[in-house]
Amino acid sequence: MKTVSKPVMSRARKFAIGVLAILPVVGIGTSLHASAEVDSYEAVSPSIEQARANILISRQLQFTHFREQTIDENLAEEVFNDYLDYLDGQRVYLTEKDIESFQPLKEQMAASLRTGQLQPGFDIYNRVQKRIVERMDYALGLLEDGVDSFDFQTDDQILLDRSEASWEPDQAALDELWNRRIRNAVLGQRLNGSSDDEILKVLTRRYESQRKRISQMRSEDAFQAYMNAFAGTWDPHTNYFSPRNSENFNINMSLSLEGIGAVLQSDNEYTKVVRLVPGGPAARQGQLGPADRIVSVKQEDEDQPVNVIGWRLDEVVDLIRGPRGSTVTLEVVPANASDETVTRTIAIKRDEVKLEEQSASSEVIELDRGDETYRIGVIDIPTFYADFQAMQQGDPDYKSTTRDVRKLLEDLKEEQNVDGLVVDLRNNGGGALHEANDLVGLFIDQGPTVQIRSSDNQVQVLADQDPSVAWDGPMVVLVNRMSASASEIFAGAIQDYGRGLVVGSQTFGKGTVQAVRSLNHGQLKITQSKFYRVSGGSTQHRGVIPDIEIPSRIDTTRIGEDALERALPWDQIDSVPHARYFDFSGVIDQLRQRHSDRFAETPEFGLLQKEIDFLKEQRKTTTVSLNEDQRRDYQDQLESRQLTIANARRELRGDEPFDSFQAMEDHQEQQAAAANGEDEELDFIVREGGHIMADMLELDRRLATILPAGTVAAKAE
């Protein structure tokens, strides 16, 4: 079976291990702290097996990747820069002098990558690890006098994101930078209510832990980091897996492990949440979200959490995994946090992700519109799934997306007597490709559904061969930025066929297919083909543009294919002949106007827009003050605005307002499990999808049964 790969959601490149770095923090002092308990970092060296793997990776990338490029000096410079970004993405360990000393290594890099000479990459890696040890020693030295020795009455500020900053010129400048970083960490925890004694313990434990991690680095860590910087210059979905990470990747693909149901990736200093598995423990618990960054992990039988900043991804995954029924507590920096010192604690009970909890489901909503009441069927599809094992065993009742949706449609038509259909694909990250193809077939008599172009320019067309139709009435497909891969194939086909309207926000744009190839040492996941709609345009990079747009809280600068460096571009091939069931051009302007007028009078939309504006303002903040009074004022303003929005939403529902920000947070934690990951935005957007459906029927009654009405086979424009 071919499976649509899941998307990556980050501006940072996705790698197979954790970046060796630390949480932004800072203080005062000049002495280096020598830890007697931790050995100094010992340089690592490449092995013969790694050198052979490097040669195989070079050949695979040059001759089988979808993007054609050669390993020359220009590409080597990209590898060099990406490697430094990976090892010191916030530019807090290396100085300008270090970078200058790497120039001879950069000049050797092109030839070295072609021939398996790994020493340039290892030399850079070893230097960075030694610099990290020096910074840890410096940070621990600053903490020796206690956090009350820091001055929080200055007008100093700190840059939140240093990924584009200049390298500091020397060690003295780095000392000053770290002074600010530690003050920022102390101040952030003070504002979270921690005492100075607690802060001192937490930060000391953090830096000692990270220093210890550096002393345990292995040759494989350097090789993974270097090969991923190399592979990532082709595209962000091409990755190298070490032998251990290959095992983890294969286990994850078989869904045989119990855990929290979250896909993770490395993002500079942190392990970041990519997406939640539908129906999994984290999705059901409701507090963890995409782009949240994990700071620490605590087991239920342990008193203290383990700080995981700077840990390898595989080791963080091992900590989070555990027996079914046990609880793991994550400390995370929320995606919408004002800065990295703002964290929240989330307790999740581990469980296995069950297929039935990912299954499609339906409901019927009634909309009173003047003299008429419309019954709208809503089908929610969390993922494109199939029970492959049952299918291979010949079970006639095996579960799959298409089979389940067909049954739901039969019920909606025969028992519920609905007037229209809304298919909800929001937050659906994809899944089985053949299920996307078959699902399109439930809504058309037959025809092509998607084109797949390989690296040798051969085009394969998947098609629905079944002339039967499960639903021939009008439909709306809801999408958002988290709709990816198979979701985009389905939504794009419905749009191209004129079978329904796509409503929501621009989708993720994951339109590539990866294959995993074994090496002598580990595996290479490599991009080998791209998806194209039947109209010829790729879903890659651009995704699906809705016919009617609804704004979203999701930060598109951080989540989405077009937010990834070196993502393959959008392009176009020839369209394939396909039917066009309805031309919406005659009514789309009126539909958009009705939607706009309705939203202008919808209180929920007004609150959503206020929240979006608030989040955009926060994202524009590039620095924060290290003055305690100013910082408290800033935090009070943020909390006040969030509380105002939350209380306005409660007022709409007839609930008592919260009397404080803390009361709001306590309530959200208590309600997280019951909420099952849903929120008010989802409910009112589903209703709006129903209203758009009703508008369609009112404006053109031909939509009531559009399929049999003069289907014309033609090429899409």
Side-chain angles (χ1 to χ4, degrees):
M1 293 296 175
K2 186 176 290 185
T3 298
V4 182
S5 299
K6 306 295 185 176
V8 182
M9 292 161 265
S10 171
R11 295 177 68 186
R13 184 171 310 286
K14 179 179 180 182
F15 294 114
I17 64 170
V19 164
L20 306 170
I22 58 172
L23 184 68
V25 278
V26 219
I28 306 171
T30 55
S31 65
L32 289 180
H33 179 278
S35 174
E37 299 179 0
V38 182
D39 295 333
S40 297
Y41 173 74
E42 294 185 6
V44 295
S45 301
S47 68
I48 294 175
E49 291 79 9
Q50 291 167 348
R52 291 173 178 165
N54 177 188
I55 295 173
L56 291 174
I57 291 169
S58 298
R59 292 173 179 171
Q60 294 271 14
L61 291 173
Q62 289 185 95
F63 302 121
T64 66
H65 195 282
F66 191 87
R67 170 176 273 159
E68 292 185 14
Q69 53 185 16
T70 57
I71 304 173
D72 56 17
E73 285 69 22
N74 292 330
L75 184 133
E77 184 167 0
E78 292 183 12
V79 175
F80 175 78
N81 291 331
D82 283 7
Y83 192 36
L84 291 180
D85 285 343
Y86 178 56
L87 295 174
D88 187 11
Q90 289 297 304
R91 305 191 174 190
V92 294
Y93 303 121
L94 299 173
T95 65
E96 285 183 359
K97 294 180 180 178
D98 288 319
I99 303 303
E100 291 170 1
S101 72
F102 292 155
Q103 294 307 306
L105 299 177
K106 183 175 75 171
E107 293 172 3
Q108 306 170 29
M109 201 163 277
S112 298
L113 287 169
R114 288 193 298 265
T115 58
Q117 301 297 315
L118 293 167
Q119 201 58 50
F122 274 67
D123 287 346
I124 293 172
Y125 185 89
N126 288 327
R127 175 77 65 86
V128 174
Q129 306 319 304
K130 290 179 181 178
R131 292 290 183 256
I132 294 175
V133 170
E134 293 172 1
R135 286 299 108 199
M136 296 304 98
D137 286 341
Y138 181 77
L140 290 166
L142 295 176
L143 293 170
E144 286 182 340
D145 295 330
V147 299
D148 57 349
S149 64
F150 299 139
D151 183 4
F152 294 104
Q153 300 305 313
T154 70
D155 292 329
D156 291 342
Q157 294 188 328
I158 186 168
L159 184 65
L160 294 176
D161 181 6
R162 288 184 46 81
S163 59
E164 302 296 329
S166 301
W167 300 99
E168 296 295 341
D170 50 36
Q171 292 295 318
L174 268 186
D175 287 349
E176 171 55 28
L177 170 62
W178 275 83
N179 181 295
R180 294 175 186 241
R181 286 168 65 84
I182 293 179
R183 277 187 282 160
N184 185 47
V186 172
L187 187 53
Q189 294 202 35
R190 273 189 183 176
L191 296 176
N192 285 339
S194 299
S195 69
D196 284 357
D197 287 343
E198 292 172 331
I199 295 171
L200 181 61
K201 290 178 182 178
V202 168
L203 294 183
T204 299
R205 187 165 59 243
R206 176 182 301 171
Y207 299 134
E208 286 178 344
S209 173
Q210 291 176 220
R211 194 188 193 285
K212 185 176 182 179
R213 299 301 306 163
I214 299 302
S215 72
Q216 298 171 345
M217 292 298 101
R218 306 167 302 188
S219 172
E220 198 58 48
D221 299 314
F223 184 63
Q224 277 192 119
Y226 192 33
M227 287 301 99
N228 272 304
F230 179 34
T233 56
W234 266 261
D235 88 305
H237 303 289
T238 296
N239 313 116
Y240 168 71
F241 297 124
S242 70
R244 180 178 182 185
N245 277 336
S246 295
E247 179 183 354
N248 284 336
F249 176 79
N250 293 335
I251 290 173
N252 287 335
M253 290 301 288
S254 69
L255 297 177
S256 61
L257 279 181
E258 295 172 346
I260 64 170
V263 177
L264 308 176
Q265 74 177 58
S266 296
D267 183 10
N268 289 325
E269 304 164 311
Y270 297 95
T271 296
K272 187 168 74 172
V273 178
V274 177
R275 63 179 178 86
L276 303 182
V277 178
R284 295 197 304 268
Q285 198 272 353
Q287 289 182 285
L288 193 68
D292 287 355
R293 291 168 289 174
I294 300 173
V295 174
S296 70
V297 179
K298 178 181 175 297
Q299 312 301 334
E300 63 182 10
D301 58 350
E302 296 178 352
D303 294 330
Q304 298 294 334
V306 177
N307 182 274
V308 295
I309 300 170
W311 281 40
R312 293 191 303 269
L313 178 60
D314 60 332
E315 294 176 326
V316 177
V317 170
D318 285 345
L319 272 185
I320 295 174
R321 285 174 180 159
R324 180 181 181 183
S326 61
T327 298
V328 62
T329 300
L330 307 181
E331 180 189 4
V332 304
V333 179
N336 61 354
S338 56
D339 66 77
E340 293 169 327
T341 65
V342 177
T343 64
R344 71 184 306 180
T345 301
I346 302 172
I348 303 172
K349 181 175 287 188
R350 298 180 177 103
D351 199 353
E352 60 183 345
V353 179
K354 300 177 181 178
L355 185 61
E356 58 266 25
E357 292 174 341
Q358 303 183 45
S359 299
S361 59
S362 68
E363 63 177 323
V364 175
I365 59 175
E366 292 190 350
L367 302 175
D368 293 324
R369 309 213 348 154
D371 298 332
E372 193 164 357
T373 297
Y374 290 88
R375 291 176 56 79
I376 307 298
V378 180
I379 294 182
D380 178 37
I381 304 176
T383 187
F384 286 84
Y385 56 88
D387 189 341
F388 296 116
Q389 183 176 0
M391 185 190 309
Q392 291 167 355
Q393 292 173 348
D395 184 347
D397 298 319
Y398 74 87
K399 285 182 65 63
S400 75
T401 300
T402 306
R403 284 171 162 238
D404 290 348
V405 170
R406 185 187 294 274
K407 293 176 183 177
L408 294 173
L409 288 171
E410 290 173 356
D411 178 70
L412 290 173
K413 287 191 304 182
E414 298 172 8
E415 303 295 331
Q416 303 294 338
N417 193 28
V418 297
D419 301 302
L421 179 69
V422 173
V423 176
D424 192 352
L425 294 181
R426 286 168 304 161
N427 304 317
N428 183 322
L433 173 60
H434 75 90
E435 286 299 319
N437 175 69
D438 292 348
L439 191 68
V440 174
L442 296 183
F443 304 97
I444 64 172
D445 48 10
Q446 61 186 80
T449 60
V450 64
Q451 303 183 77
I452 306 171
R453 180 163 71 103
S454 61
S455 56
D456 61 2
N457 286 323
Q458 296 296 312
V459 177
Q460 175 189 7
V461 180
L462 300 188
D464 166 48
Q465 306 291 346
D466 185 356
S468 66
V469 176
W471 174 260
D472 62 3
M475 61 188 294
V476 163
V477 179
L478 295 180
V479 295
N480 66 1
R481 189 64 162 182
M482 303 298 292
S483 305
S485 298
S487 293
E488 297 174 294
I489 291 172
F490 178 83
I494 294 299
Q495 195 175 56
D496 287 342
Y497 273 91
R499 253 319 263 115
L501 286 179
V502 177
V503 174
S505 52
Q506 182 182 7
T507 60
F508 192 93
K510 172 66 167 62
T512 56
V513 184
Q514 285 72 41
V516 178
R517 298 178 178 172
S518 296
L519 306 168
N520 69 304
H521 186 79
Q523 294 177 309
L524 181 68
K525 179 163 70 75
I526 186 169
T527 298
Q528 62 178 11
S529 52
K530 287 176 72 173
F531 291 126
Y532 295 82
R533 293 163 57 156
V534 295
S535 56
S538 176
T539 57
Q540 168 62 16
H541 206 279
R542 181 176 295 182
V544 177
I545 307 299
D547 300 295
I548 297 178
E549 187 170 356
I550 296 178
S552 170
R553 300 184 183 100
I554 298 172
D555 182 2
T556 58
T557 65
R558 298 179 60 189
I559 296 177
E561 191 76 7
D562 55 5
L564 295 171
E565 291 186 17
R566 298 190 180 86
L568 294 182
W570 179 88
D571 63 341
Q572 192 167 6
I573 61 176
D574 290 339
S575 63
V576 290
H578 60 280
R580 183 75 180 176
Y581 292 108
F582 191 84
D583 181 3
F584 289 96
S585 61
V587 295
I588 190 64
D589 288 341
Q590 295 177 73
L591 290 172
R592 289 171 179 159
Q593 187 61 53
R594 285 192 178 196
H595 159 73
S596 179
D597 293 343
R598 188 163 45 246
F599 259 28
E601 300 176 356
T602 302
E604 293 98 332
F605 174 70
L607 290 176
L608 173 61
Q609 192 60 57
K610 285 183 180 179
E611 191 169 2
I612 292 171
D613 293 341
F614 170 66
L615 292 173
K616 285 182 178 179
E617 287 181 29
Q618 281 188 274
R619 293 166 191 150
K620 291 179 181 178
T621 302
T622 58
T623 61
V624 292
S625 173
L626 297 178
N627 181 291
E628 186 165 358
D629 293 335
Q630 294 178 17
R631 188 72 161 270
R632 286 190 185 278
D633 288 343
Y634 175 68
Q635 179 164 304
D636 288 345
Q637 292 174 18
L638 294 181
E639 292 179 355
S640 176
R641 291 185 63 181
Q642 292 178 68
L643 182 61
T644 298
I645 293 172
N647 279 338
R649 187 169 284 127
R650 286 180 68 79
E651 182 180 351
L652 282 176
R653 292 158 41 186
D655 296 331
E656 289 292 322
F658 298 115
D659 57 11
S660 67
F661 183 81
Q662 186 61 52
M664 180 190 77
E665 287 200 320
D666 291 344
H667 175 79
Q668 289 174 345
E669 290 182 9
Q670 294 169 4
Q671 296 298 313
N676 195 28
E678 300 292 334
D679 62 14
E680 293 82 6
E681 178 189 353
L682 303 185
D683 291 337
F684 99 85
I685 289 179
V686 166
R687 294 198 306 272
E688 177 59 21
H691 279 296
I692 292 172
M693 173 64 61
D695 290 339
M696 291 164 59
L697 291 169
E698 290 175 355
L699 290 172
D700 197 326
R701 286 291 173 180
R702 289 177 300 169
L703 282 162
T705 306
I706 64 176
L707 195 65
T711 304
V712 179
K715 284 193 175 183
E717 295 178 358

